[in-house]
Amino acid sequence: MPLLAALGLACGGDGPTAPPLGTIHVSVQTSGGDLDIDGYEFVVDSGVPRYVSTSGVAVQPDGSQQVGLAIDGISPGPHSVSLKDVADNCTVSDANPRSVTVAADETVSLEFAVVCAATGVAITTHTTGSDVPFAYDLHVDQSTFVIATNGSQTVSRLEPGPHMISLQMSIGNCTVAGGAQTVTVPIRTITPVHFEITCLPV
């Protein structure tokens, strides 16, 4: 037997080789209010979660945001892909997990759609009387905003539950009917809050 042929047999040159692997490119299209800000995780079958961040990702003019990543080293055949770490105020529109079939040495794309709803308050003010100030300081818990004396302000990304809302005047000639308000905010809801203010001449 020739020496080269003998070496080939000894090294197992005709043995089986592993099939080429594939890639799954997964993405998430998020729309609505209070978009998920801490990212998502993708899980293929029962593998290690793959994290993708949403921090610093541009929001499109229509208010939506898209993130994605490529997961390499996927064996050919059917697989299950799950989207994890979805914020409580967001829901996955499609089936989750999703089934996908990967071919050897090819890339298959899979997109999830997530819709979020804002959680917060929509505050309006109505002021009557004389010597009305230009604006009020609006306090929502420990945060401060500026609201016009006859205006509106939406404050979202609030945790569901009770929140203290009040107005502060630069001068003391105005009275808020009922004073501060404690409002219980349900998740995925913008709760209206109205203030009636009367001002007297300074």
Side-chain angles (χ1 to χ4, degrees), residues 26-200:
V26 285
S27 61
V28 182
Q29 180 81 18
T30 309
S31 60
D34 288 358
L35 303 186
D36 195 314
I37 59 175
D38 60 357
Y40 299 102
E41 288 182 343
F42 298 104
V43 178
V44 178
D45 300 326
S46 57
V48 176
R50 307 293 185 93
Y51 173 74
V52 59
S53 174
T54 54
S55 177
V57 178
V59 176
Q60 302 303 313
D62 63 357
S64 66
Q65 183 187 60
Q66 186 163 18
V67 294
L69 58 81
I71 303 176
D72 300 318
I74 306 298
S75 60
H79 295 274
S80 174
V81 182
S82 301
L83 178 62
K84 303 287 188 179
D85 199 25
V86 179
D88 291 340
N89 68 305
C90 303
T91 56
V92 182
S93 301
D94 313 301
N96 186 28
R98 302 265 297 277
S99 297
V100 63
T101 299
V102 177
D105 209 21
E106 290 187 1
T107 297
V108 61
S109 296
L110 186 63
E111 181 176 281
F112 289 89
V114 174
V115 179
C116 303
T119 301
V121 289
I123 301 155
T124 57
T125 56
H126 178 238
T127 305
T128 57
S130 302
D131 293 336
V132 174
F134 177 74
Y136 305 122
D137 287 335
L138 168 66
H139 298 275
V140 179
D141 299 326
Q142 304 302 316
S143 300
T144 302
F145 308 87
V146 175
I147 187 170
T149 50
N150 289 284
S152 61
Q153 175 75 44
T154 298
V155 181
S156 64
R157 294 200 181 277
L158 298 181
E159 291 292 329
H163 295 271
M164 177 66 72
I165 303 171
S166 62
L167 298 178
Q168 182 175 347
M169 322 296 177
S170 57
I171 54 178
N173 67 312
C174 300
T175 303
V176 182
Q181 300 186 37
T182 299
V183 179
T184 299
V185 178
I187 191 171
R188 300 173 59 86
T189 302
I190 295 295
T191 302
V193 180
H194 182 71
F195 286 99
E196 282 287 340
I197 305 102
T198 302
C199 298
L200 299 176

